[in-house]
Amino acid sequence: MAMPAQAAALAVPGNMGDVRRSNLALVMGRIARQPAGVHLTRAHVAATTGLTKASVSSLVVALLDAGLVRETGLNPQGERGRPGVGLELNPARAVMGMEINVDYIAAGVTDLSGTLLLREVRERDNRDSEPGPVVAALAALAASLRVEATGRGIQIVGGGLAVPGLVDPARSMVLAAPNLGWEGVPLDLAALLPGSPLGVALFNEANAAALAEIARRPAGDADFLFVSGEVGVGGGLVIGAELFTGPAGHAGEVGHVVVDPGGTRCSCGGTGCLETVAGQDAIFAAAGMAGLPVTRSAALAALLSALDSGDPGARAAVDRAGRALGVALASTARVVNVGSVVLGGHFAVLDQWLRAPLLASLEKYAPGKFTPGQLTVTAVGDPGALLGAAGSVVRSLVEAPHLLQA
Amino acid sequence: MAMPAQAAALAVPGNMGDVRRSNLALVMGRIARQPAGVHLTRAHVAATTGLTKASVSSLVVALLDAGLVRETGLNPQGERGRPGVGLELNPARAVMGMEINVDYIAAGVTDLSGTLLLREVRERDNRDSEPGPVVAALAALAASLRVEATGRGIQIVGGGLAVPGLVDPARSMVLAAPNLGWEGVPLDLAALLPGSPLGVALFNEANAAALAEIARRPAGDADFLFVSGEVGVGGGLVIGAELFTGPAGHAGEVGHVVVDPGGTRCSCGGTGCLETVAGQDAIFAAAGMAGLPVTRSAALAALLSALDSGDPGARAAVDRAGRALGVALASTARVVNVGSVVLGGHFAVLDQWLRAPLLASLEKYAPGKFTPGQLTVTAVGDPGALLGAAGSVVRSLVEAPHLLQA
DNA sequence: ACGATTAGTTCATTGCCTGAACTATATGAG
DNA sequence: CTCATATAGTTCAGGCAATGAACTAATCGT
């Protein structure tokens, strides 16, 4: 719920409890947004949120009781007047991010400020795998991290799982993950974090990575498209610092924008999709690297050295991918009106080779829409999906602190 | 503001006034959604909204005082128990929709239920016109309709203006309307309806037309892309029964999706945009009708008869436009994840000739995403932009009835 | 005519924010 | 060392909005 000046018609009556929850979120958000280590007092919260000191005091008590916030010592530096009691996010609460990908599973723990405390990646070939054992292995990994966290006095209150495919979060289902060979797979998310108050949320990998980017961008720069380059090409659309997933939950899928109407068949059944030109397998094949190193990171390294040594096939393949990406981004920019793009996956790795053809293509198909500065590379990198999945739990907690109230 | 179960972090403290406004909107929305002529009582509002009878009574008094709602007689048919007092939208309040287009200006008055009460279209060539006289002529037209409405005891509380071009509603500016020859034109919207309590809102024409479609669609079918075929190709993206305009306010511009990377230059500076293949001028030119009838409706009629008589050039041109539209819609469907499309403008007129190549193209580039039933033609037609602009005012009033409180 | 039934109002209660008054604890000047 | 000043935080009365129960109002069926 949102409560301010503009009222939107809703299906549910509002009451005073909603005011309380809204203001609780306001105070929680203020505390969460405070830079780490900078003293923040009730008085300052009141002054910056517009709430009265009396209300803030009452709301902070609720947050303390819920264990979301902690009091630190008094203001250390000598200022006039009574020193205020410091407030910060409770470091004894944390969330778990988890990821299932083609070559590995991973789990990590972040505190409520988004700092990564623990992380563990287990290599594992999940191609054409059975979902059951993969999820069981991830549950075991998560359990071990949880034990480690508990040993440090840290409670895991919830988690998020990122999967490389189309998901239906509402039904906890993986609708289609071609690279895992999963289709219509229901997941027992609760088993990943048994008994955690907030449970486990499910995300598409590119969407989770996009969420992780949000926190790492300058404030106000809250609209962008994250493009994830893996075997497939995924996308996460962020508008107003919110993930925009569209009516059916799969918006931002820039990998299947048509970039070549006369092109080749895509695994999705379509024709000339971006993925058929700029996906990892497509680039490797076009560069004449078919049947080369098994792992993707090795293949990428091989491609990079081929590019460095001036291999014409490799250069042409990347050039073509860059131009195609430009076509897709130009169209996307028109339809959803975003002017900033963040490149992830192999697009980030290949940035120096990709950038020139991509910018040229953007200028040709959407002149004036993009400046080079609006085309950036992921600030998070590999653990992006994991951090984003974890961060989403933090975010839901900041927006609805009452979820953890007694 | 929105008030229910899920709280979103906001910059502004909530208080009980927000609860009041939210519930006011809830009751107002319930009354507005009641089919015309069907008796609706306070008791029924309470039962369907979840508010208590006491709250509903109090809220209804406020709506009556604001003049938004009216009591009708008692329940006519004999049912057991005390008959309830009927409630309906006040027929003495109305809004004005206005439109500036290439060949005409238009204004119309609708009551709060969206019924068109008055409408007047004045032919007028606005190509490469000065904004001042056009707006003055529209103001005069609006004034005359307002006099007529006042004569019937109807008060105009606000209005909306639709313009064929990119607009910045916040600054009341037309950023670019190539077909009018306007660029960076500030509009004195207040002059169109002097002294009206809600003022005049500004819309892009395709967006306004999309708004008008919302009300005419079956409930639950709230996600679609409206494609407006005029000289240019515009679009209005509706998600969750809300217009989605994106970060900069121009989302849904499907006319500049790239459908042919090797294609011709577009007026926007890009290359191979949908508009270069499927815009009216493009189709007329491809059909070999350059320099034909002056007015667009005459040219369209000529094209239709050429199609009827089997003219191969005309058929090929429309075929090509249909296929290109399919490419653009396939890409758009992936990026924003809409599965329904509403055709307007010449796309609606040419539907029978366009449909087959369009569906074939959709099936080729986005297989399984569209069924023929999800491809429909405008249910509103010509006055769409006008009705949508007017409807937007009604909508804002329903969502924030307190705007008209004393 | 009277009981049953439904509509709508009145009123005491509860919850939350607000503003003012008050308490608590520091700094700095004399 | 003491006191004025300044700032932090709590307490408390007041107001507002929703709630639920009790009450009044109006109609139907028998």
Side-chain angles (χ1 to χ4, degrees):
Chain A
M1 85 175 138
M3 306 243 5
Q6 286 297 345
L10 272 162
V12 182
N15 56 37
M16 291 165 307
D18 295 319
V19 175
R20 183 68 169 177
R21 281 187 283 278
S22 171
N23 288 336
L24 212 49
L26 182 61
V27 172
M28 181 69 183
R30 180 63 188 82
I31 296 171
R33 236 162 274 129
Q34 181 74 356
V38 181
H39 202 75
L40 177 69
T41 66
R42 288 168 172 79
H44 200 206
V45 170
T48 52
T49 58
L51 288 160
T52 62
K53 288 192 297 174
S55 298
V56 170
S57 277
S58 155
L59 291 161
V60 165
V61 166
L63 293 175
L64 291 170
D65 287 347
L68 286 169
V69 164
R70 183 174 79 155
E71 288 188 342
T72 62
L74 295 182
N75 192 340
Q77 65 217 27
E79 277 180 18
R80 235 178 147 78
R82 169 176 167 181
V85 179
L87 299 171
E88 65 173 19
L89 294 175
N90 186 350
R93 297 293 170 102
V95 297
M96 179 146 346
M98 290 164 280
E99 183 181 358
I100 294 174
N101 219 314
V102 179
D103 325 297
Y104 62 88
I105 59 175
V109 174
T110 78
D111 63 21
L112 298 183
S113 69
T115 305
L116 193 56
L117 304 176
L118 301 168
R119 178 175 174 230
E120 197 164 331
V121 181
R122 284 229 222 290
E123 307 241 335
R124 191 190 152 97
D125 184 1
N126 296 320
R127 260 171 238 261
D128 304 316
S129 57
E130 284 301 310
V134 179
V135 173
L138 181 59
L141 181 57
S144 76
L145 288 187
R146 209 175 179 188
V147 168
E148 169 70 20
T150 306
R152 300 195 200 172
I154 295 173
Q155 184 200 354
I156 310 284
V157 297
L161 169 64
V163 172
L166 249 49
V167 299
D168 180 347
R171 293 187 300 155
S172 297
M173 276 188 60
V174 177
L175 301 177
N179 300 322
L180 300 177
W182 296 7
E183 201 174 325
V185 174
L187 296 179
D188 184 9
L189 296 177
L192 292 171
L193 282 180
S196 79
L198 299 182
V200 175
L202 179 61
F203 292 90
N204 163 271
E205 181 202 22
N207 283 354
L211 284 172
E213 294 295 329
I214 296 178
R216 274 85 185 171
R217 289 173 74 81
D221 194 1
D223 310 295
F224 62 91
L225 178 70
F226 176 83
V227 183
S228 122
E230 305 288 336
V231 173
V233 174
L237 189 52
V238 173
I239 290 171
E242 301 274 353
L243 193 62
F244 176 82
T245 56
H250 320 133
E253 280 293 330
V254 72
H256 299 280
V257 167
V258 181
V259 297
D260 180 6
T264 59
R265 198 73 178 232
C266 179
S267 67
C268 75
T271 302
C273 298
L274 173 62
E275 194 166 304
T276 66
V277 181
Q280 283 187 5
D281 289 352
I283 294 180
F284 293 153
M289 298 174 58
L292 268 189
V294 190
T295 72
R296 225 99 45 61
S297 50
L300 259 181
L303 177 62
L304 272 176
S305 68
L307 288 166
D308 269 327
S309 62
D311 180 308
R315 293 220 173 157
V318 172
D319 212 68
R320 181 160 159 261
R323 289 199 312 273
L325 186 53
V327 172
L329 294 180
S331 291
T332 302
R334 255 50 192 276
V335 172
V336 295
N337 207 356
V338 280
S340 285
V341 173
V342 178
L343 301 178
H346 68 267
F347 295 132
V349 175
L350 298 173
D351 180 49
Q352 62 163 313
W353 302 99
L354 211 57
R355 179 168 284 265
L358 173 47
L359 284 171
S361 182
L362 284 171
E363 191 53 30
K364 177 172 180 187
Y365 296 106
K369 281 256 169 186
F370 290 89
T371 62
Q374 288 169 320
L375 182 67
T376 55
V377 162
T378 172
V380 183
D382 278 345
L386 199 119
L387 283 172
S392 77
V393 184
V394 172
R395 177 179 269 248
S396 67
L397 211 45
V398 169
E399 288 171 0
H402 63 274
L403 293 178
L404 265 198
Q405 280 186 288
Chain B
M1 91 174 131
M3 307 244 3
Q6 286 297 345
L10 271 161
V12 181
N15 57 36
M16 284 168 308
D18 296 318
V19 175
R20 183 69 171 176
R21 282 187 283 280
S22 171
N23 288 335
L24 213 48
L26 182 61
V27 172
M28 181 68 183
R30 179 64 189 82
I31 296 172
R33 237 160 274 130
Q34 181 73 357
V38 181
H39 201 75
L40 178 69
T41 67
R42 288 169 173 79
H44 199 203
V45 170
T48 52
T49 58
L51 288 160
T52 62
K53 289 192 297 174
S55 299
V56 170
S57 277
S58 155
L59 291 160
V60 165
V61 166
L63 293 175
L64 291 169
D65 287 348
L68 286 169
V69 163
R70 183 175 77 155
E71 289 187 341
T72 61
L74 296 181
N75 192 340
Q77 65 218 28
E79 278 180 19
R80 239 177 144 77
R82 171 175 165 182
V85 179
L87 299 171
E88 65 174 19
L89 294 174
N90 187 350
R93 297 294 171 99
V95 297
M96 181 149 342
M98 290 164 282
E99 182 180 0
I100 293 174
N101 219 314
V102 180
D103 325 296
Y104 62 88
I105 58 174
V109 174
T110 78
D111 63 20
L112 297 184
S113 69
T115 306
L116 193 58
L117 303 175
L118 302 167
R119 178 176 175 230
E120 198 164 329
V121 181
R122 284 227 224 289
E123 307 240 334
R124 191 190 150 97
D125 185 2
N126 295 321
R127 258 171 239 261
D128 303 315
S129 57
E130 284 300 310
V134 179
V135 173
L138 182 58
L141 181 56
S144 76
L145 288 187
R146 208 175 180 188
V147 168
E148 170 70 21
T150 306
R152 299 194 199 173
I154 295 172
Q155 185 200 354
I156 310 284
V157 297
L161 169 64
V163 173
L166 249 49
V167 300
D168 180 347
R171 293 187 301 155
S172 298
M173 276 189 60
V174 177
L175 300 177
N179 300 320
L180 300 176
W182 294 8
E183 202 175 323
V185 173
L187 296 178
D188 183 9
L189 296 177
L192 292 171
L193 282 181
S196 78
L198 298 182
V200 175
L202 180 61
F203 293 90
N204 163 270
E205 183 202 19
N207 282 356
L211 284 173
E213 295 294 330
I214 297 176
R216 275 85 184 170
R217 289 174 74 82
D221 194 2
D223 311 294
F224 62 91
L225 177 71
F226 177 82
V227 184
S228 122
E230 306 287 336
V231 174
V233 173
L237 189 51
V238 174
I239 290 171
E242 302 274 352
L243 194 61
F244 175 83
T245 56
H250 319 133
E253 281 292 330
V254 72
H256 299 281
V257 167
V258 181
V259 298
D260 181 7
T264 60
R265 198 74 178 230
C266 178
S267 67
C268 75
T271 302
C273 298
L274 173 63
E275 195 166 305
T276 66
V277 181
Q280 283 187 7
D281 289 352
I283 293 179
F284 293 154
M289 298 173 58
L292 269 186
V294 189
T295 71
R296 226 99 45 61
S297 51
L300 259 181
L303 177 62
L304 272 177
S305 67
L307 287 166
D308 269 325
S309 63
D311 181 308
R315 293 219 174 159
V318 172
D319 212 68
R320 183 161 158 260
R323 289 198 314 271
L325 186 52
V327 172
L329 294 180
S331 290
T332 302
R334 252 54 191 274
V335 172
V336 295
N337 206 354
V338 280
S340 285
V341 172
V342 178
L343 300 177
H346 68 267
F347 295 132
V349 175
L350 297 174
D351 181 49
Q352 61 163 313
W353 302 99
L354 212 56
R355 179 168 284 266
L358 173 46
L359 283 172
S361 182
L362 284 172
E363 191 54 31
K364 177 172 180 187
Y365 295 106
K369 281 256 169 187
F370 291 89
T371 62
Q374 288 168 320
L375 182 69
T376 55
V377 161
T378 171
V380 183
D382 278 346
L386 199 119
L387 284 172
S392 76
V393 185
V394 172
R395 177 179 269 248
S396 67
L397 211 45
V398 169
E399 288 173 358
H402 64 275
L403 293 177
L404 266 197
Q405 280 186 290

